[in-house]
Amino acid sequence: MTRGLLAALLSGLLASGCATSQYEATFVARGELVMSYDDKIKMFAGRKLVTTAPGYRGLADFVGCVEAAHDQARRAERHGTAGLVLSILGGSLGGLGAGGLVGLADGDHRWQWLSSGLVLAVSGVILAGVGRKLRLQANGQAVDALNYYNDAVGSRGLSCQAPDSIK
Protein backbone atom coordinates (compact mmCIF):
# COMPACT_ATOMS: atom_id res chain seq x y z
CA MET A 1 0.00 0.00 0.00
CA THR A 2 1.40 3.40 -0.85
CA ARG A 3 2.08 5.94 1.85
CA GLY A 4 -0.28 8.47 0.27
CA LEU A 5 -3.20 6.05 0.30
CA LEU A 6 -2.43 5.00 3.86
CA ALA A 7 -2.23 8.65 4.97
CA ALA A 8 -5.56 9.43 3.27
CA LEU A 9 -7.26 6.47 4.97
CA LEU A 10 -5.87 7.38 8.39
CA SER A 11 -6.81 11.05 8.09
CA GLY A 12 -10.33 10.06 7.05
CA LEU A 13 -10.67 7.82 10.09
CA LEU A 14 -9.28 10.44 12.45
CA ALA A 15 -11.42 13.26 11.04
CA SER A 16 -14.70 11.38 11.38
CA GLY A 17 -16.62 11.71 14.60
CA CYS A 18 -14.52 14.44 16.19
CA ALA A 19 -17.24 17.04 16.81
CA THR A 20 -19.30 17.23 19.99
CA SER A 21 -21.01 20.01 21.88
CA GLN A 22 -20.22 20.23 25.57
CA TYR A 23 -22.19 23.35 26.50
CA GLU A 24 -25.42 22.85 28.38
CA ALA A 25 -27.70 25.88 28.62
CA THR A 26 -28.22 27.12 32.18
CA PHE A 27 -31.38 29.11 31.49
CA VAL A 28 -33.89 27.87 28.96
CA ALA A 29 -37.40 29.25 28.61
CA ARG A 30 -40.20 26.73 29.17
CA GLY A 31 -41.03 26.08 25.49
CA GLU A 32 -37.61 26.86 24.01
CA LEU A 33 -35.84 24.35 21.80
CA VAL A 34 -32.15 23.72 22.36
CA MET A 35 -29.82 21.63 20.26
CA SER A 36 -26.87 19.43 21.11
CA TYR A 37 -24.50 17.34 19.07
CA ASP A 38 -22.67 14.26 20.24
CA ASP A 39 -23.04 11.43 17.77
CA LYS A 40 -25.91 13.19 15.96
CA ILE A 41 -27.99 16.33 16.28
CA LYS A 42 -30.58 16.17 19.05
CA MET A 43 -33.19 18.78 19.94
CA PHE A 44 -34.69 19.14 23.39
CA ALA A 45 -37.46 21.21 24.95
CA GLY A 46 -36.72 21.42 28.63
CA ARG A 47 -35.05 18.10 29.35
CA LYS A 48 -37.37 16.20 27.02
CA LEU A 49 -35.98 14.88 23.71
CA VAL A 50 -38.07 16.25 20.82
CA THR A 51 -36.24 14.87 17.78
CA THR A 52 -32.94 13.57 16.41
CA ALA A 53 -31.14 13.61 13.09
CA PRO A 54 -31.30 12.44 10.39
CA GLY A 55 -35.10 12.05 10.13
CA TYR A 56 -36.19 14.78 12.57
CA ARG A 57 -39.46 12.95 13.21
CA GLY A 58 -41.85 14.96 15.32
CA LEU A 59 -40.17 18.33 14.80
CA ALA A 60 -42.88 19.60 12.44
CA ASP A 61 -45.55 18.68 14.99
CA PHE A 62 -43.65 20.37 17.80
CA VAL A 63 -43.17 23.69 15.93
CA GLY A 64 -46.48 23.52 14.04
CA CYS A 65 -47.91 26.82 15.31
CA VAL A 66 -45.11 28.82 13.63
CA GLU A 67 -45.61 28.59 9.87
CA ALA A 68 -42.00 29.25 8.80
CA ALA A 69 -40.69 26.80 11.40
CA HIS A 70 -43.24 24.17 10.36
CA ASP A 71 -42.25 24.49 6.68
CA GLN A 72 -38.55 24.11 7.47
CA ALA A 73 -39.21 21.19 9.81
CA ARG A 74 -41.25 19.35 7.16
CA ARG A 75 -38.40 19.83 4.68
CA ALA A 76 -35.92 18.57 7.27
CA GLU A 77 -38.02 15.45 7.83
CA ARG A 78 -38.31 14.77 4.09
CA HIS A 79 -34.68 15.47 3.22
CA GLY A 80 -33.33 13.65 6.26
CA THR A 81 -35.32 10.49 5.56
CA ALA A 82 -34.56 10.55 1.83
CA GLY A 83 -30.88 11.15 2.55
CA LEU A 84 -30.71 8.20 4.90
CA VAL A 85 -32.42 5.90 2.40
CA LEU A 86 -30.13 6.98 -0.45
CA SER A 87 -27.04 6.58 1.73
CA ILE A 88 -28.03 3.04 2.70
CA LEU A 89 -28.87 2.19 -0.91
CA GLY A 90 -25.59 3.71 -2.09
CA GLY A 91 -23.57 1.77 0.45
CA SER A 92 -25.35 -1.44 -0.52
CA LEU A 93 -24.71 -0.91 -4.23
CA GLY A 94 -21.09 -0.06 -3.50
CA GLY A 95 -20.72 -3.31 -1.55
CA LEU A 96 -22.35 -5.27 -4.34
CA GLY A 97 -19.92 -3.66 -6.76
CA ALA A 98 -17.12 -5.49 -5.01
CA GLY A 99 -18.73 -8.67 -6.35
CA GLY A 100 -17.37 -7.66 -9.74
CA LEU A 101 -13.99 -8.83 -8.53
CA VAL A 102 -15.24 -12.35 -9.24
CA GLY A 103 -14.19 -11.51 -12.78
CA LEU A 104 -10.57 -11.89 -11.78
CA ALA A 105 -11.21 -15.61 -11.37
CA ASP A 106 -13.54 -16.03 -14.37
CA GLY A 107 -11.34 -15.69 -17.41
CA ASP A 108 -14.19 -16.16 -19.91
CA HIS A 109 -16.38 -13.34 -18.60
CA ARG A 110 -13.80 -11.18 -16.86
CA TRP A 111 -14.78 -7.84 -18.42
CA GLN A 112 -18.51 -8.37 -17.93
CA TRP A 113 -17.96 -9.02 -14.20
CA LEU A 114 -15.52 -6.16 -13.75
CA SER A 115 -17.57 -3.61 -15.71
CA SER A 116 -20.78 -4.59 -13.90
CA GLY A 117 -19.02 -4.23 -10.57
CA LEU A 118 -17.64 -0.85 -11.58
CA VAL A 119 -21.08 0.39 -12.66
CA LEU A 120 -22.59 -0.72 -9.33
CA ALA A 121 -19.78 0.84 -7.32
CA VAL A 122 -19.97 4.17 -9.16
CA SER A 123 -23.76 4.21 -8.82
CA GLY A 124 -23.39 3.52 -5.12
CA VAL A 125 -20.94 6.38 -4.66
CA ILE A 126 -23.25 8.77 -6.51
CA LEU A 127 -26.31 7.74 -4.45
CA ALA A 128 -24.36 7.95 -1.20
CA GLY A 129 -23.12 11.43 -2.17
CA VAL A 130 -26.65 12.64 -2.96
CA GLY A 131 -27.81 11.10 0.32
CA ARG A 132 -25.13 12.97 2.25
CA LYS A 133 -26.11 16.22 0.56
CA LEU A 134 -29.76 15.70 1.52
CA ARG A 135 -28.84 14.90 5.14
CA LEU A 136 -26.75 18.07 5.35
CA GLN A 137 -29.66 20.08 3.94
CA ALA A 138 -31.94 18.48 6.54
CA ASN A 139 -29.58 19.57 9.32
CA GLY A 140 -29.68 23.18 8.12
CA GLN A 141 -33.45 23.12 7.72
CA ALA A 142 -33.91 21.69 11.22
CA VAL A 143 -31.71 24.43 12.69
CA ASP A 144 -33.73 27.02 10.76
CA ALA A 145 -36.94 25.52 12.15
CA LEU A 146 -35.50 25.71 15.68
CA ASN A 147 -34.55 29.37 15.18
CA TYR A 148 -37.89 30.42 13.66
CA TYR A 149 -39.74 28.66 16.47
CA ASN A 150 -37.59 30.08 19.26
CA ASP A 151 -37.80 33.61 17.86
CA ALA A 152 -41.58 33.50 17.60
CA VAL A 153 -42.58 31.35 20.57
CA GLY A 154 -40.00 29.33 22.50
CA SER A 155 -37.68 32.05 23.79
CA ARG A 156 -40.68 33.82 25.34
CA GLY A 157 -41.56 30.77 27.41
CA LEU A 158 -44.46 29.84 25.17
CA SER A 159 -45.13 26.57 23.38
CA CYS A 160 -47.16 25.19 20.49
CA GLN A 161 -48.07 22.35 22.87
CA ALA A 162 -49.93 24.86 25.06
CA PRO A 163 -51.76 26.92 22.40
CA ASP A 164 -53.58 29.10 24.92
CA SER A 165 -50.17 30.40 26.09
CA ILE A 166 -49.52 31.98 22.67
CA LYS A 167 -52.47 34.42 22.59
Side-chain angles (χ1 to χ4, degrees):
M1 188 179 293
T2 67
R3 283 188 213 168
L5 182 58
L6 183 60
L9 288 173
L10 286 175
S11 66
L13 287 173
L14 293 174
S16 64
C18 292
T20 60
S21 65
Q22 302 297 322
Y23 178 77
E24 190 170 325
T26 54
F27 178 75
V28 178
R30 184 178 60 86
E32 188 171 11
L33 276 173
V34 293
M35 182 176 63
S36 70
Y37 182 87
D38 190 5
D39 57 334
K40 59 184 168 184
I41 293 175
K42 298 174 185 171
M43 293 184 181
F44 297 87
R47 300 269 183 234
K48 181 183 173 213
L49 181 65
V50 173
T51 190
T52 61
Y56 296 104
R57 289 192 198 325
L59 182 59
D61 291 336
F62 188 85
V63 301
C65 64
V66 179
E67 186 177 341
H70 187 253
D71 291 343
Q72 289 297 319
R74 283 193 1 249
R75 288 184 186 129
E77 289 176 357
R78 266 194 327 267
H79 287 143
T81 301
L84 180 62
V85 168
L86 287 176
S87 295
I88 291 170
L89 185 58
S92 299
L93 286 178
L96 287 173
L101 295 175
V102 168
L104 296 176
D106 183 3
D108 294 336
H109 303 100
R110 175 174 294 144
W111 296 113
Q112 290 91 338
W113 280 103
L114 292 174
S115 62
S116 296
L118 182 62
V119 166
L120 285 173
V122 169
S123 299
V125 166
I126 291 169
L127 288 176
V130 171
R132 178 164 170 75
K133 179 182 183 283
L134 288 173
R135 288 191 330 270
L136 289 173
Q137 283 179 332
N139 291 343
Q141 291 159 339
V143 170
D144 285 347
L146 174 144
N147 287 326
Y148 282 127
Y149 172 80
N150 282 343
D151 285 349
V153 176
S155 63
R156 295 187 285 150
L158 306 175
S159 168
C160 293
Q161 279 44 60
D164 46 329
S165 72
I166 297 175
K167 294 177 183 172

